[in-house]
Amino acid sequence: MKKISEQQGTTKVQTMPLISIIVPVYQVKEYIEECVESLLAQTYTNLEILLVDDGSTDGSGAMCDEYAVKDSRVRVIHQENQGPSVARNQGLDHARGEYVAFVDSDDVVMPDFIETLFGILNKYQADIAACAYIKCSTDDLIHIRNGVLYIDSNDNKEICMTSEQMLRQWHGKYKKWETVAWNKLYRKSVLNGGNGVAAIRFPVGRKLEDVLMSHLMVANAARVVLTMRKLYLYRTTPNSRAYQSRMAKLMEENLRAQRERMAFFKERRYWMAYFNLLVGYMLHLAWFEWKRMKQRK
């Protein structure tokens, strides 16, 4: 652990535990620089940034190696292409930090992303802290970086719940904070298990691993805290051919993952959450059928 003195003239010493940020990297040469630079610019500095190159062939892996030379906080793991689940699992197996965060390699985080989540996680003695996020196009991110587009991330409202409270309302008011893995900071014990708690590892060979695992992560926690601050910028390319092709391939996998998640809530008799998910499932089913019909024309 590193130590720092508090500002404003005091001499109180605080500890800064090591935090591991795991970034699966695959064919993102166009975006990886912006992602890593946002991590290196974090106001919380005691980090290890694990870039897991999942067999990239576009030069992304070489760019990761360059960052490892420039900054000792960056570590690179190269593996054959096996998908984001294996890449995340590799990161977890190599993470040295007491806390873990996931960031997707084409996304960007605000400078106080880690500092804010670490602060509220300890303030409430929670096991998981999550922030709000914004979906941005590449043009939006360029405008944000150049100061043309301003993101208001100053909503300091915080909500702390027990794990059971969070699960019972799943897919309700706080849906935007729940399902994804990458807007959160976790105590490593939530992911590595122990004391009767199962270890969390992402399912190999499956897509939509966030849908499959997010509720299990919460189930491993005692408390979860949410901040309304928008600290994560999620890049979207919904009009690209690659995106449309990917969504078509994921339709069946999406429905399968949702059914498995619904079974979890039904088994626990969290009926409000179950019916929230059932409604979402039916809407997805209708949307996917509409997409199929549109593609046949």
Side-chain angles (χ1 to χ4, degrees):
M1 292 185 183
K2 292 186 178 180
K3 294 183 178 180
I4 57 172
S5 295
E6 289 187 328
Q7 301 299 314
Q8 301 177 345
T10 66
T11 57
K12 183 179 178 181
V13 174
Q14 294 181 328
T15 58
M16 290 179 66
L18 181 65
I19 294 177
S20 301
I21 304 177
I22 298 170
V23 185
V25 176
Y26 182 68
Q27 308 296 67
V28 285
K29 184 179 181 180
E30 184 179 355
Y31 307 125
I32 187 64
E33 180 178 0
E34 195 172 11
C35 175
V36 177
E37 289 291 345
S38 75
L39 300 178
L40 295 176
Q42 289 297 295
T43 54
Y44 189 103
T45 57
N46 193 22
L47 304 172
E48 70 164 359
I49 300 168
L50 289 164
L51 305 179
V52 186
D53 171 32
D54 188 31
S56 298
T57 59
D58 68 343
S60 300
M63 293 178 71
C64 293
D65 290 333
E66 290 173 8
Y67 272 110
V69 172
K70 293 177 184 176
D71 195 304
S72 61
R73 294 176 296 172
V74 177
R75 296 170 57 204
V76 182
I77 301 169
H78 295 284
Q79 65 177 35
E80 294 181 2
N81 179 238
Q82 300 176 72
S85 287
V86 175
R88 282 177 171 172
N89 291 342
Q90 279 272 30
L92 285 172
D93 291 341
H94 287 82
R96 300 168 180 162
E98 297 176 47
Y99 303 83
V100 174
F102 300 100
V103 172
D104 283 357
S105 54
D106 53 351
D107 296 339
V108 174
V109 295
M110 302 295 275
D112 55 344
F113 170 66
I114 292 294
E115 181 181 7
T116 299
L117 294 183
F118 178 72
I120 62 172
L121 188 138
N122 283 281
K123 176 181 177 180
Y124 293 94
Q125 290 299 294
D127 298 304
I128 301 174
C131 67
Y133 63 89
I134 301 174
K135 293 183 177 181
C136 300
S137 68
T138 294
D139 286 343
D140 289 337
L141 288 170
I142 291 172
H143 293 327
I144 293 167
R145 186 178 60 212
N146 294 334
V148 177
L149 181 62
Y150 173 70
I151 296 298
D152 182 6
S153 63
N154 295 316
D155 188 342
N156 293 317
K157 183 179 179 181
E158 298 161 359
I159 298 166
C160 186
M161 297 178 254
T162 65
S163 168
E164 184 171 353
Q165 287 172 329
M166 184 82 169
L167 291 169
R168 284 187 179 278
Q169 65 79 54
W170 202 261
H171 246 232
K173 185 177 180 180
Y174 305 112
K175 176 182 175 181
K176 192 172 181 179
W177 284 259
E178 293 168 355
T179 301
V180 295
W182 36 253
N183 66 334
K184 298 177 177 67
L185 180 67
Y186 308 84
R187 293 188 191 273
K188 191 192 278 185
S189 58
V190 168
L191 304 172
N192 281 357
N195 296 321
V197 176
I200 295 292
R201 288 298 182 269
F202 293 91
V204 178
R206 295 289 302 273
K207 305 292 185 183
L208 302 166
E209 62 277 3
D210 288 2
V211 175
L212 289 163
M213 302 307 297
S214 55
H215 54 287
L216 300 180
M217 294 174 179
V218 170
N220 269 7
R223 287 191 212 54
V224 180
V225 60
L226 314 178
T227 174
M228 304 299 110
R229 296 190 64 194
K230 303 175 182 70
L231 301 173
Y232 193 103
L233 308 181
Y234 174 77
R235 189 190 304 267
T236 61
T237 53
N239 296 320
S240 70
R241 290 183 179 179
Y243 176 87
Q244 297 295 341
S245 175
R246 179 173 177 269
M247 286 307 297
K249 293 176 181 178
L250 287 178
M251 287 181 184
E252 292 299 333
E253 188 69 27
N254 183 302
L255 294 174
R256 177 188 174 192
Q258 290 193 57
R259 288 194 296 271
E260 291 179 21
R261 184 172 56 173
M262 288 164 60
F264 168 89
F265 287 95
K266 185 177 182 179
E267 180 181 355
R268 294 200 172 203
R269 305 177 71 83
Y270 295 164
W271 296 117
M272 180 181 293
Y274 175 78
F275 286 112
N276 287 343
L277 290 164
L278 181 60
V279 170
Y281 178 82
M282 298 303 293
L283 290 172
H284 273 93
L285 185 61
W287 184 76
F288 289 156
E289 287 300 321
W290 177 80
K291 292 291 288 184
R292 284 196 185 100
M293 291 175 62
K294 188 177 179 180
Q295 289 167 2
R296 290 190 188 115
K297 292 181 179 179

